[in-house]
Amino acid sequence: AGRPAQRPAQARRPASRPPAKARTIRLGSPKPRLRLVSLGLTLVMLVFVVRLLQVQAVDASAYAAKAEKHRYQEYTLSADRGEITDRSGVALAASVDAYDITADPKLFTPEDSKIRDAPEQAAALLAPILGKEPADLAKKLRTPKSRYTLLARKQTPQVWNQIKDLKKVYEQKAKPANGGNGINLLGGILSEPVTKRVYPNRELAAGILGYVNAEGRGAGGVESMLDTDLAGKDGKIRFAQSGGRMVPTAGSQGTPAVPGSDIELTIDRDIQWAAQQAITDQVRKSKADRGYVVVQDTRTGEVLAMANAPGFDPNDLSQANATAMGNAALQDAYEPGSTSKVMSMAAVLEEGAATPGTRVTVPNRLHRGDRLFSDDIDHITWYLTLNGVLARSSNIGTILATGQLGKTQPEANRVLYSYLRKFGVGSPTGLDFPGETPGILAKPQDWSTSQQYTIPFGQGLSLSAMQATSVYQTIANGGVRIEPTLVRGTKGPDGRFTPAPAPKESRVVSEKTAKTLGQMLESVVDDEEGTGNKAAIPGYRVAGKTGTANRVDPELGVYKGYTASFAGFAPADEPRIAVYCAIQNPTKGSYFGGQICGPIYKKVMEFALKTLHVAPTGSEPARLPTTFKPTP
């Protein structure tokens, strides 16, 4: 206890060391890094150089083409379609300015329009103006991934003006100052200028004119027949664009459109109107299937009118009956009946087998081949001259007369066939009209037993209304047939008129035979016993022939109903005009050609004579005898 306190031990100091030397940081050599960076830059530059060489050298033409494609726009310049006029230059078909109404569907998406149902709202506004269903328009405005859709074709300028006015209203509503979001609901509705084909006279001459389709190409009638001339040649324009707008300083290049030629028809609009009114009224009164009237200038072969009933309005094909959209006067082939007897009589006279005064004893019935033939009425034995056979339209008398054309029936058949062919039966008329029928005429060796005797009076062969008219034009023109024509000429873009080529002419019978036939045909109209009294025109000598034929039903292929017809020319002493009328299957009132077609012939012929300022006849008809007294 008494030990002295021990002193705490002191911390041992470390042995002193000499101060350490300052450490030196030694940097690596920069050369490797610089080489690496240089290599990297070199590789990058090399890639750029290679790419540049590829773009500017290797693939230069391909990229240039792509640039051209996106930088330059090319548009077709539609050629103006030529007019179709009547012989006086009055427009029957013309083209007017119109607009295709289009839209950019992208501008109606919720993202662009800021309206969830923008297509429906826009469709509801446009439907009453365009005459479309709102649902159909809305569907088009919702076309996915598209910047273009067609809403309506060939709308009038008035329709586009209505839409523009509506767009202006919604443009004002869209302004922020008016509480809008700055987006015009109808901003995506656009237009493209086009032309629209119009027919100022509606149904008038529609069967001749035809119509154009949605692409503006001729699809019927003259519109189709002369489409190349009417259509002209479209042009092109190519220009640089930026943002959809033309760059004025970049210039443009292209070829201008060449307008189509105007077509001048031989048709006289006034005579066409008279013909169409007359046939339309009678078809309605008779409750017939259809009817046609053809008017032809006997001296030139020009068709002055070609009317069909029922017709159609080429301005509104949606309302047209498909069966009425053609030209039935050229496209229907039917058995003509007694109007065809003039060809049989021409053959008999030309061959010298008989004269107008030759006596023909006509019994009530005639047995030939496997049939018993009769006239349209029962009668006692008739004692007729050849002129009387034609005037009374006797089938039996015609069979007896044509039997004299050869020593045997087969020989007589061959002679008659040759004349029928020369008159144009069984061949196209020469008009080159779309869908035209050549008619039906079998070769004589193929005629059946009954055809040998029915063909002379117009059954067993078929022709068109135009072919039937041409027969009477031939007789009226002194026996010379002139191919009918519908086109007088064309007027090119330079305004120069080019006449149509002269039609072909061919002599069928002698002038003497033709003149005699004309006198015989006068008896049909002028004689008290003639069947065509209703066609008489005061002040004019009229030559004509009635026809009432059994009609082949085109659906059943059997005889059912009748074809009533009347054909002739006037003035008979100096012929100027031939008129032919036919009515298919009249079911109300008379079905005889003289009763229902004779009055139509009179109306149309009288109107045509006055329109063309044809002077009244100054001489009396020949009044050839029609009967004879038998020797006791």
Side-chain angles (χ1 to χ4, degrees):
R3 285 191 200 170
Q6 293 184 0
R7 295 173 62 186
Q10 295 183 355
R12 184 177 292 179
R13 296 181 178 177
S16 60
R17 298 179 181 175
K21 292 182 179 179
R23 298 180 63 185
T24 302
I25 299 175
R26 300 186 66 178
L27 298 176
S29 175
K31 291 182 179 180
R33 293 186 179 90
L34 289 174
R35 291 194 188 99
L36 186 60
V37 171
S38 299
L39 180 61
L41 291 173
T42 301
L43 290 174
V44 171
M45 291 301 295
L46 185 60
V47 170
F48 279 113
V49 169
V50 170
R51 181 60 175 162
L52 190 62
L53 287 172
Q54 182 185 10
V55 170
Q56 292 191 341
V58 179
D59 296 332
S61 58
Y63 283 101
K66 288 182 179 180
E68 288 280 308
K69 180 180 179 182
H70 292 286
R71 184 187 177 195
Y72 287 90
Q73 292 284 348
E74 188 171 274
Y75 288 96
T76 298
L77 300 175
S78 298
D80 291 336
R81 192 171 181 84
E83 286 189 345
I84 302 176
T85 72
D86 82 335
R87 64 189 300 113
S88 301
V90 178
L92 301 176
S95 296
V96 297
D97 291 338
Y99 294 91
D100 283 348
I101 309 302
T102 64
D104 182 348
K106 184 177 183 297
L107 299 181
F108 291 90
T109 60
E111 296 78 18
D112 283 69
S113 66
K114 309 303 180 187
I115 303 173
R116 183 178 58 82
D117 60 344
E120 285 70 22
Q121 289 190 34
L125 294 169
L126 295 171
I129 301 175
L130 298 177
K132 304 285 186 180
E133 289 295 327
D136 294 337
L137 293 177
K139 183 178 180 181
K140 290 182 178 181
L141 293 174
R142 286 189 177 276
T143 305
K145 298 180 181 179
S146 175
R147 298 300 304 268
Y148 175 90
T149 186
L150 178 64
L151 300 181
R153 286 185 182 275
K154 300 184 184 300
Q155 299 298 302
T156 64
Q158 291 78 9
V159 168
W160 176 233
N161 287 336
Q162 282 184 271
I163 295 175
K164 286 196 295 183
D165 291 342
L166 198 58
K167 289 180 68 172
K168 289 179 182 178
V169 170
Y170 276 83
E171 185 179 359
Q172 291 296 323
K173 288 184 178 181
K175 291 182 178 180
N178 296 326
N181 61 2
I183 299 176
N184 185 348
L185 174 64
L186 299 178
I189 303 300
L190 310 167
S191 72
E192 294 178 357
V194 293
T195 57
K196 180 180 181 180
R197 200 65 164 170
V198 295
Y199 302 87
N201 303 287
R202 298 171 62 84
E203 293 91 349
L204 188 72
I208 300 171
L209 300 173
Y211 51 92
V212 297
N213 58 24
E215 286 71 39
R217 294 297 181 185
V222 173
E223 294 276 25
S224 173
M225 183 172 73
L226 299 176
D227 183 61
T228 302
D229 296 316
L230 287 164
K233 188 176 181 180
D234 290 343
K236 289 183 178 181
I237 184 171
R238 185 171 180 270
F239 59 85
Q241 59 87 31
S242 177
R245 296 179 180 275
M246 180 178 178
V247 180
T249 57
S252 62
Q253 57 183 348
T255 54
V258 179
S261 297
D262 294 339
I263 305 298
E264 183 177 304
L265 301 181
T266 61
I267 298 299
D268 183 292
R269 186 185 64 165
D270 295 335
I271 299 176
Q272 176 73 27
W273 177 86
Q276 200 149 322
Q277 288 292 112
I279 193 64
T280 300
D281 289 346
Q282 190 59 58
V283 166
R284 183 177 63 252
K285 290 176 183 176
S286 299
K287 292 188 176 180
D289 290 354
R290 63 176 57 183
Y292 0 79
V293 173
V294 181
V295 182
Q296 190 177 16
D297 188 315
T298 60
R299 298 179 179 181
T300 65
E302 292 180 335
V303 178
L304 302 177
M306 187 184 292
N308 297 280
F312 68 99
D313 183 356
N315 293 302
D316 187 7
L317 297 179
S318 64
Q319 301 299 316
N321 186 328
T323 59
M325 287 176 63
N327 188 345
L330 277 164
Q331 295 167 339
D332 277 7
Y334 56 91
E335 298 186 16
S338 294
T339 52
S340 179
K341 288 175 182 173
V342 70
M343 292 186 283
S344 298
M345 293 299 171
V348 170
L349 293 173
E350 186 73 6
E351 291 295 313
T355 67
T358 297
R359 298 180 174 188
V360 184
T361 301
V362 181
N364 187 43
R365 293 288 187 275
L366 180 68
H367 188 273
R368 287 289 186 274
D370 56 355
R371 287 184 58 182
L372 195 63
F373 292 94
S374 65
D375 290 318
D376 61 334
I377 58 172
D378 285 329
H379 57 80
I380 60 173
T381 298
W382 282 342
Y383 298 98
L384 305 176
T385 62
L386 185 68
N387 181 59
V389 169
L390 189 63
R392 292 196 185 183
S393 197
S394 170
N395 295 339
I396 293 175
T398 304
I399 294 172
L400 293 172
T402 55
Q404 305 302 309
L405 289 172
K407 294 181 180 180
T408 63
Q409 189 60 48
E411 184 181 340
N413 295 343
R414 288 192 294 272
V415 173
L416 179 59
Y417 173 83
S418 68
Y419 280 91
L420 295 174
R421 289 288 294 170
K422 286 193 285 186
F423 273 107
V425 181
S427 301
T429 62
L431 289 173
D432 294 326
F433 197 88
E436 178 186 352
T437 178
I440 302 171
L441 178 62
K443 292 183 178 180
Q445 60 267 30
D446 297 327
W447 291 0
S448 66
T449 303
S450 60
Q451 276 182 305
Q452 298 178 82
Y453 307 106
T454 61
I455 284 178
F457 60 80
Q459 302 267 186
L461 76 163
S462 296
L463 43 65
S464 70
M466 184 68 253
Q467 288 174 315
T469 311
S470 184
V471 170
Y472 285 79
Q473 174 275 320
T474 302
I475 301 302
N477 193 42
V480 176
R481 180 179 183 271
I482 304 176
E483 285 190 349
T485 54
L486 267 175
V487 178
R488 292 191 80 195
T490 61
K491 184 185 292 184
D494 58 357
R496 184 176 301 175
F497 181 80
T498 303
K504 294 180 181 178
E505 298 184 12
S506 59
R507 178 162 291 282
V508 178
V509 295
S510 68
E511 188 173 353
K512 178 182 177 182
T513 295
K515 184 177 180 179
T516 302
L517 268 174
Q519 294 175 339
M520 293 171 67
L521 288 169
E522 283 189 84
S523 297
V524 176
V525 179
D526 183 67
D527 192 272
E528 291 182 1
E529 298 294 327
T531 57
N533 306 124
K534 289 186 179 294
I537 300 173
Y540 292 90
R541 287 170 57 180
V542 175
K545 182 70 190 76
T546 59
T548 306
N550 291 310
R551 173 178 174 272
V552 176
D553 188 300
E555 295 182 2
L556 301 177
V558 297
Y559 283 117
K560 182 181 178 183
Y562 298 92
T563 296
S565 59
F566 193 98
F569 52 85
D573 53 332
E574 293 186 17
R576 285 291 309 279
I577 303 165
V579 173
Y580 176 83
C581 163
I583 293 178
Q584 298 291 353
N585 197 31
T587 59
K588 183 180 179 180
S590 175
Y591 58 81
F592 289 106
Q595 298 298 312
I596 63 174
C597 285
I600 295 175
Y601 173 93
K602 178 180 179 179
K603 286 180 184 178
V604 176
M605 178 64 83
E606 201 166 18
F607 186 93
L609 290 170
K610 291 179 179 178
T611 299
L612 299 178
H613 307 292
V614 178
T617 301
S619 60
E620 293 294 321
R623 291 194 173 92
L624 302 175
T626 58
T627 61
F628 71 93
K629 290 183 180 181
T631 303

